[in-house]
Amino acid sequence: MQHYKLEYKANNAYASQVWGAYLKFLIHPYAALGVQINNPVFSTNVEGDWWISNARQKEVSEIYFKSTNKFTSLEVSYSVQIYVPDLNPFERLSLPVDQEKNILSSPDWIIDNYKFIHLTKLRPKTFLSPQENANFQWLNEGNLLDKIIALRDQVHSTVEFISGVTTTNTEASEVLNLRKGVCQDFTHLFLGLLRSNGVAARYASGYLHEGEGTRGASQLHAWVECHIPEMGWVGIDPTNKLLCDHNYVKICHGYDYDDCLPVSGVVNSSANKQSSEHQVNVQQIQ
Amino acid sequence: MEQGRLFNSEYTPKDGVYDEFVSKEMKVRAHYNLVSQQFSQYQTNDYCKFNEEAKIVFFNEGITFAVYSDNPLGSEKIFPFDFIPRIIPHDEWTKIEKGILQRNRAINEFLKDLYHDKKILKDGVVPKELIYSSVNMLSVMEGFNPIGGIYNHISGTDLIRHSDGEYYVLEDNVRCPSGVSYVLANRNTLKKTFPKLFSKCQPQPIIHYPEKLLTMLQSVSPGNSAPNCVVLSPGMYNSAYFEHSFLAQTMGVELVEGRDLFVKNDVVYMKTIHGSQRVHVIYRRIDDPFLDPLLFNPNSVLGTPGLMSAYLAGNVTLVNAPGTGVADDKAVYAYMPEIIKYYLGEEQIIKNVPTYRCGEDADLKYVLENIDKLVVKPVDESGGYGISIGNTLTKEEINEVKLQIQQNRRKYIAQPIMSLSVHPTFIEGEDIIESRHIDLRTFCLLGKNTEYVLPGGLTRVALKRGNLIVNSSQGGGSKDTWVI
């Protein structure tokens, strides 16, 4: 069992006064099996109501904040303690190749997972053309997990981790051109490639307990989860070239970044400019 | 064809189409006898008088609609009304009613399946690509159980009668079908114009529609014996604003806009001068993308932030359920016979118009070769926009349509040009009675243990000579529809 204290701090500043806001925060950890979540504390410098909603998925907690007060900056601070069961990603065993192949090609599997398999221009963040996909090699032989790992390593070596080059709107094909980006860019590109090869893959966002040399821990991190027969959803981090273990504390998952926005909402304001800063801290408690 | 003096003016039926009023032998159909007798007493100036009277009633009661293209500011027009009623005999109606219920029950099962096990896709009856390429398939609805298992609470099924005398379903509308207020208004107006004819013919009453609608809304409320139902309108610039206010008024519930509602703790409240009041059921006349800026279109100011999480938490019911649009896509329509068979094990009671899906190679070939005999429709546009009718196009236009189809095959379907039946209609300006094409929009309510089909429905009439498009946004009018 691992015991962490998670902290999230954000500061949103608006160019002119805001009178009232309705915001949604996706910062509370995912209530996976065996995870214990204690003492969530949410506070802001502006008075308002807040509540936790599990409406969309019972494991995902959306924190809503509603205020009718006036303000020009909103400081949010959130902390929670969590116990995560130990996870060794190498303990899980693949099915024999033939058996795995049968499941993967069955209509039931394809349709049940279709929303995380198919690429659509309606969701351009992970959309890649077949030509773009052809830049990467997809193994013909072996288990699905081995093929995925081989692809992950190609993504990792193709893209250089540099912040400030891309934005949250950058699409996978742009990342491929730039060959630079941060964790969500690695993730979008990896998702596009996986889906091009018929793998059910989804975007995961969460906290990362920093190890030596890992990247993306001072911000909310992003990685990929792949659906693999018998194993379930397996976390794979293309940014750090890792399989996810108990150091990865998920918040939520979705088709791409747009389903996992840490903050979204409506503010009543004439301000057309806003700036925001986030900070994340994961502290291990012995 | 020989001319018949069926009204006091000369009425000439058209060749090659089904005339609702007279048979091929120029005999008035039995169910029109009483109406025909009454109308043969009138002269042209009487007709003009009836027409004026009806217009005054519509004007005074504000029965209007707005067309977006020429009215960016939302000024309104009177909905053109024709005073000669369309009559459906009782036995014909019984079959239609069964067919409508069958179809909408099947659509409901289809939606339930798409948002749960997806058996119909796994069995290969409907192609998965068709469903997943639809912008109306909402993944947030997956696994969600709406109260009573109802998705399409209110459906508007459009029917036509072909030259073979059979009724066909032209399309399904299971998002926010409009038009029912005009049915009630037409009836009201005609009652004032021909009170005696009503007592003679005794058409089936429709006056209780608002009551049925309210009963249905209450039946799907999340656990409250005195639920608070509201009508959610995008506001006065919407083309159907008259209808929104009419329905709220006749049901005796509040008419609200998105800004009148707010969400706290996943519960929806309405702002009133007596403080906030909880809302249980929302009859929303706002399309899915505008419901909740947090989940859908972030720039929408029509909806209410947090509405979808209140809905998914089961604290409020939205009517119709979000995501129903995936079932009234015109490409899905083509699979309706299979869908009905799959869920209900029954044959279609009212037939589908044969449909060619341009996404499929063989169909595409046929469509491109026979485009002059077909109506080409985009699958994702409602209100009659973007439709091209093959035999009315010039060569250049045909080539352009072909190009459009090839560029985006999935977007188009084609159907044979169906000859809509015709009905005697008073033509303002020329002051004569001529035959004009009509269709029929029916209204069906599905609730928890309640089902209802409004007897008759909205007969829409294409007022321009030879025109086949009956939508009000394209210059159509309407008639009162009697089931006797």
Side-chain angles (χ1 to χ4, degrees):
Chain A
M1 209 62 149
Q2 306 291 322
H3 186 191
Y4 300 117
K5 185 181 183 199
L6 311 177
E7 283 177 310
Y8 170 90
K9 281 197 165 81
N11 192 354
N12 294 306
Y14 301 90
S16 61
Q17 198 172 55
V18 170
W19 60 94
Y22 191 101
L23 301 172
K24 178 175 93 179
F25 294 88
L26 270 170
I27 49 179
H28 187 80
Y30 188 87
L33 207 66
V35 169
Q36 267 182 52
I37 302 167
N38 295 329
N39 308 326
V41 181
F42 181 87
S43 65
T44 52
N45 64 331
V46 178
E47 241 179 86
D49 297 306
W50 70 276
W51 65 93
I52 294 182
S53 166
N54 300 94
R56 278 180 71 184
Q57 269 180 292
K58 69 180 193 321
E59 296 87 359
V60 176
S61 300
E62 298 172 328
I63 298 174
Y64 285 90
F65 173 72
K66 178 179 182 293
S67 172
T68 47
N69 291 312
K70 292 176 181 164
F71 58 89
T72 49
S73 81
L74 178 70
E75 288 159 31
V76 175
S77 112
Y78 168 78
S79 76
V80 69
Q81 296 207 18
I82 182 169
Y83 290 90
V84 185
D86 290 328
L87 172 67
N88 180 352
F90 300 100
E91 268 175 6
R92 286 178 291 202
L93 294 176
S94 285
L95 283 175
V97 174
D98 287 348
Q99 228 174 315
E100 197 182 67
K101 246 186 195 162
N102 283 341
I103 295 178
L104 288 171
S105 57
S106 69
D108 280 23
W109 176 271
I110 293 170
I111 286 160
D112 284 334
N113 291 290
Y114 200 73
K115 70 170 173 176
F116 292 119
I117 296 177
H118 85 302
L119 286 171
T120 162
K121 283 187 179 162
L122 297 172
R123 303 292 295 265
K125 289 212 165 106
T126 65
F127 188 83
L128 291 176
S129 67
Q131 292 82 354
E132 287 166 323
N133 178 47
N135 291 322
F136 293 81
Q137 199 201 350
W138 179 247
L139 300 181
N140 286 324
E141 299 296 320
N143 282 311
L144 181 60
L145 185 58
D146 296 336
K147 295 179 184 177
I148 292 169
I149 289 172
L151 190 61
R152 175 201 71 189
D153 296 349
Q154 293 174 60
V155 172
H156 180 81
S157 57
T158 306
V159 185
E160 195 183 345
F161 190 98
I162 293 178
S163 52
V165 184
T166 55
T167 70
T168 51
N169 289 320
T170 306
E171 297 169 6
S173 52
E174 269 175 272
V175 177
L176 193 55
N177 282 334
L178 291 167
R179 304 200 167 224
K180 288 176 188 130
V182 293
C183 56
Q184 80 223 11
D185 304 311
F186 281 81
T187 304
H188 281 146
L189 176 60
F190 190 30
L191 282 172
L193 295 167
L194 288 165
R195 289 172 182 161
S196 299
N197 290 297
V199 180
R202 63 193 187 189
Y203 186 102
S205 117
Y207 299 87
L208 171 60
H209 177 239
E210 202 165 7
E212 232 172 274
T214 51
R215 291 175 182 279
S218 62
Q219 299 282 311
L220 288 178
H221 192 49
W223 61 92
V224 169
E225 286 186 333
C226 292
H227 202 185
I228 298 174
E230 204 57 32
M231 289 188 193
W233 291 93
V234 177
I236 295 149
D237 181 357
T239 316
N240 293 307
K241 209 175 157 184
L242 289 172
L243 287 180
C244 299
D245 60 5
H246 45 248
N247 287 309
Y248 289 76
V249 180
K250 184 163 96 171
I251 294 170
C252 63
H253 57 250
Y255 188 82
D256 58 22
Y257 173 76
D258 295 341
D259 290 342
C260 304
L261 301 172
V263 194
S264 57
V266 177
V267 291
N268 300 328
S269 171
S270 57
N272 53 5
K273 270 189 193 160
Q274 91 174 69
S275 63
S276 68
E277 285 167 25
H278 304 261
Q279 212 184 340
V280 163
N281 183 31
V282 180
Q283 196 187 332
Q284 188 155 31
I285 299 170
Q286 297 299 337
Chain B
M1 188 178 278
E2 165 196 8
Q3 290 192 338
R5 297 179 68 82
L6 301 164
F7 293 98
N8 214 359
S9 65
E10 285 163 356
Y11 177 73
T12 321
K14 264 186 177 174
D15 269 332
V17 290
Y18 185 91
D19 194 302
E20 300 279 347
F21 184 70
V22 289
S23 66
K24 271 187 191 153
E25 295 75 35
M26 292 300 295
K27 273 204 180 129
V28 175
R29 294 183 196 276
H31 51 278
Y32 275 99
N33 271 339
L34 285 170
V35 170
S36 163
Q37 278 165 22
Q38 174 102 4
F39 274 78
S40 58
Q41 299 164 18
Y42 300 131
Q43 308 292 332
T44 306
N45 53 357
D46 295 319
Y47 294 144
C48 295
K49 200 182 93 204
F50 296 143
N51 190 45
E52 278 312 305
E53 278 173 5
K55 266 165 72 178
I56 289 168
V57 175
F58 268 68
F59 186 79
N60 287 343
E61 297 193 1
I63 305 165
T64 55
F65 73 99
V67 177
Y68 295 122
S69 53
D70 41 85
N71 279 311
L73 292 176
S75 57
E76 297 167 27
K77 285 181 177 173
I78 297 178
F79 193 35
F81 170 68
D82 181 67
F83 57 81
I84 306 170
R86 185 247 187 103
I87 300 177
I88 301 171
H90 187 263
D91 52 336
E92 246 175 49
W93 176 252
T94 311
K95 187 184 162 195
I96 295 177
E97 193 175 25
K98 270 190 198 153
I100 301 285
L101 277 175
Q102 177 200 50
R103 199 170 174 97
N104 290 312
R105 278 187 207 131
I107 290 178
N108 196 56
E109 290 305 308
F110 178 53
L111 286 164
K112 207 185 289 176
D113 189 20
L114 287 184
Y115 288 119
H116 290 87
D117 296 337
K118 305 178 181 62
K119 288 197 190 97
I120 199 163
L121 306 181
K122 290 175 187 169
D123 289 339
V125 178
V126 174
K128 60 179 184 302
E129 293 79 9
L130 187 68
I131 300 302
Y132 281 101
S133 60
S134 167
V135 282
N136 297 309
M137 177 81 189
L138 294 184
S139 63
V140 289
M141 288 295 289
E142 279 193 38
F144 176 73
N145 297 310
I147 288 163
I150 308 291
Y151 290 82
N152 54 330
H153 306 84
I154 302 165
S155 318
T157 313
D158 290 348
L159 304 181
I160 56 160
R161 203 208 284 257
H162 191 44
S163 51
D164 59 5
E166 289 278 334
Y167 285 96
Y168 288 84
V169 176
L170 197 62
E171 64 180 43
D172 301 290
N173 295 280
V174 292
R175 278 175 265 188
C176 301
S178 61
V180 73
S181 59
Y182 302 114
V183 179
L184 302 175
N186 288 352
R187 177 62 56 90
N188 212 6
T189 308
L190 209 61
K191 259 188 191 166
K192 287 178 186 161
T193 321
F194 304 115
K196 281 186 191 153
L197 191 57
F198 265 86
S199 55
K200 261 194 252 169
C201 296
Q202 305 224 336
Q204 285 193 20
I206 53 171
I207 189 78
H208 45 254
Y209 179 82
E211 201 183 311
K212 296 274 182 191
L213 179 60
L214 185 60
T215 308
M216 183 279 287
L217 294 177
Q218 287 168 340
S219 80
V220 292
S221 159
N224 188 307
S225 55
N228 193 6
C229 306
V230 298
V231 177
L232 174 61
S233 167
M236 58 178 285
Y237 293 121
N238 187 268
S239 67
Y241 184 67
F242 161 73
E243 174 151 313
H244 308 160
S245 64
F246 178 92
L247 289 175
Q249 229 167 42
T250 48
M251 284 194 287
V253 305
E254 296 295 333
L255 175 68
V256 299
E257 293 180 29
R259 58 189 171 172
D260 300 326
L261 302 176
F262 69 92
V263 178
K264 192 172 153 185
N265 278 320
D266 289 346
V267 173
V268 181
Y269 296 91
M270 169 171 69
K271 298 171 194 165
T272 77
I273 51 170
H274 306 296
S276 53
Q277 236 181 58
R278 182 165 173 192
V279 172
H280 301 91
V281 183
I282 299 176
Y283 175 22
R284 49 97 175 201
R285 295 295 297 260
I286 293 181
D287 289 338
D288 291 353
F290 304 103
L291 274 177
D292 182 347
L294 281 189
L295 201 58
F296 304 118
N297 184 349
N299 300 318
S300 168
V301 290
L302 299 177
T304 306
L307 188 57
M308 275 307 284
S309 69
Y311 176 69
L312 296 172
N315 294 331
V316 71
T317 299
L318 293 174
V319 169
N320 291 349
T324 49
V326 67
D328 71 4
D329 182 306
K330 292 188 182 76
V332 171
Y333 161 91
Y335 292 91
M336 276 311 291
E338 289 98 326
I339 290 172
I340 291 173
K341 192 144 202 199
Y342 187 83
Y343 294 110
L344 307 178
E346 298 168 8
E347 292 298 326
Q348 234 181 353
I349 298 174
I350 315 175
K351 290 183 205 161
N352 249 28
V353 176
T355 303
Y356 303 95
R357 306 181 263 250
C358 298
E360 289 175 17
D361 294 339
D363 284 10
L364 177 73
K365 189 163 171 270
Y366 180 85
V367 170
L368 293 178
E369 283 166 9
N370 297 281
I371 202 155
D372 54 325
K373 301 188 201 91
L374 298 169
V375 183
V376 177
K377 300 179 179 180
V379 293
D380 48 1
E381 294 248 23
S382 59
Y385 293 99
I387 291 182
S388 28
I389 299 172
N391 61 358
T392 65
L393 300 179
T394 63
K395 249 194 178 151
E396 291 84 56
E397 284 170 333
I398 284 187
N399 286 336
E400 198 173 307
V401 173
K402 279 186 181 174
L403 196 71
Q404 276 173 7
I405 295 175
Q406 280 163 320
Q407 279 170 351
N408 197 348
R409 290 172 54 179
R410 163 77 182 80
K411 199 183 162 186
Y412 294 95
I413 58 156
Q415 292 168 337
I417 298 173
M418 297 298 279
S419 51
L420 274 61
S421 60
V422 293
H423 196 286
T425 302
F426 179 74
I427 307 301
E428 204 184 71
E430 297 174 42
D431 297 343
I432 47 165
I433 290 176
E434 273 195 342
S435 63
R436 284 291 184 272
H437 290 289
I438 56 167
D439 80 345
L440 179 66
R441 170 165 286 185
T442 60
F443 296 91
C444 172
L445 303 178
L446 296 181
K448 194 174 166 188
N449 308 322
T450 91
E451 284 179 341
Y452 175 72
V453 182
L454 181 71
L458 184 68
T459 294
R460 297 184 295 181
V461 49
L463 292 174
K464 284 183 209 156
R465 188 175 283 135
N467 199 339
L468 286 175
I469 299 179
V470 293
N471 299 58
S472 57
S473 50
Q474 307 277 321
S478 75
K479 286 173 168 294
D480 193 10
T481 312
W482 296 1
V483 175
I484 54 177

